[in-house]
Amino acid sequence: MGILRDDLLIPVGGICLATAIILDRFIGEGTLIDFLVGLFTGMAIILNLVGLYRSGKKL
C-alpha cells in the first residue's frame, strides 16, 4: 500500500475498529452514524487482513 507502511496496517485497523465501536456505543443512532460505523468497520477488516497477509509473506 502506498499510503501506509506494512508495519502500520494492523494498528490502524485496530484504531478504525475502536472508532467504530465507540461511535456505535456512545454517539447513538442516525443515518450518518450508521454510515460511519459501517465505513470504519469495513476499513478495519480490510486493513487487518492486508496486514496479516503482508506480515505472513515476510516470514
Side-chain angles (χ1 to χ4, degrees):
M1 211 175 256
I3 298 172
L4 291 174
R5 294 190 324 246
D6 290 344
D7 58 340
L8 290 178
L9 290 172
I10 294 176
V12 172
I15 291 170
C16 286
L17 184 60
T19 304
I21 291 171
I22 288 171
L23 281 175
D24 190 38
R25 195 78 173 148
F26 295 115
I27 299 300
E29 295 181 6
T31 306
L32 180 63
I33 300 300
D34 290 340
F35 173 76
L36 290 175
V37 168
L39 180 73
F40 283 123
T41 303
M43 285 175 51
I45 291 170
I46 297 300
L47 288 171
N48 285 327
L49 287 176
V50 170
L52 286 173
Y53 177 74
R54 290 193 179 177
S55 67
K57 286 186 82 170
K58 286 182 182 178
L59 298 176

